[in-house]
Amino acid sequence: MPRSKIRKKTVYSPPPDRRKPSRAPAKSSLVYKAVMFGLFFLALAWMVVFYLAGEKIPVMRDLGSFGYLVAFGLMLPGLLMTMRWR
């Protein structure tokens, strides 16, 4: 059986005037990172203290189960900030 001919395709490259130069995204400032990680650390510290000594601290005792909501409320802005972190 005879073999078919292999066709070579031309490689397409867009015209040079239509190419956009790529820019590297700007890095986050030190303050942005400090606030983001500070919120994570504060939420973690709240959870640990609430779990270990929540019954001994009057404010945490009055919160009851809403103490976990406070920790997640501190953590949520930190998580949202990670989406813009460079």
Side-chain angles (χ1 to χ4, degrees):
M1 177 175 255
R3 289 180 71 151
S4 61
K5 294 181 180 179
I6 299 174
R7 296 183 208 169
K8 293 185 179 180
K9 295 183 180 180
T10 58
V11 177
Y12 174 76
S13 60
D17 59 339
R18 294 189 186 232
R19 292 182 186 169
K20 294 182 181 178
S22 62
R23 293 187 324 180
K27 291 189 176 186
S28 300
S29 68
L30 185 62
V31 174
Y32 190 86
K33 293 175 192 176
V35 169
M36 181 180 68
F37 287 116
L39 285 170
F40 284 141
F41 179 73
L42 192 61
L44 179 65
W46 179 274
M47 288 277 260
V48 169
V49 171
F50 182 77
Y51 185 74
L52 295 178
E55 294 296 320
K56 297 176 185 174
I57 301 172
V59 174
M60 289 187 175
R61 182 177 48 229
D62 294 341
L63 284 174
S65 296
F66 288 105
Y68 294 112
L69 187 63
V70 171
F72 286 118
L74 289 169
M75 197 180 306
L76 185 63
L79 287 172
L80 292 174
M81 288 176 78
T82 59
M83 289 190 271
R84 296 188 54 103
W85 177 34
R86 302 267 180 219

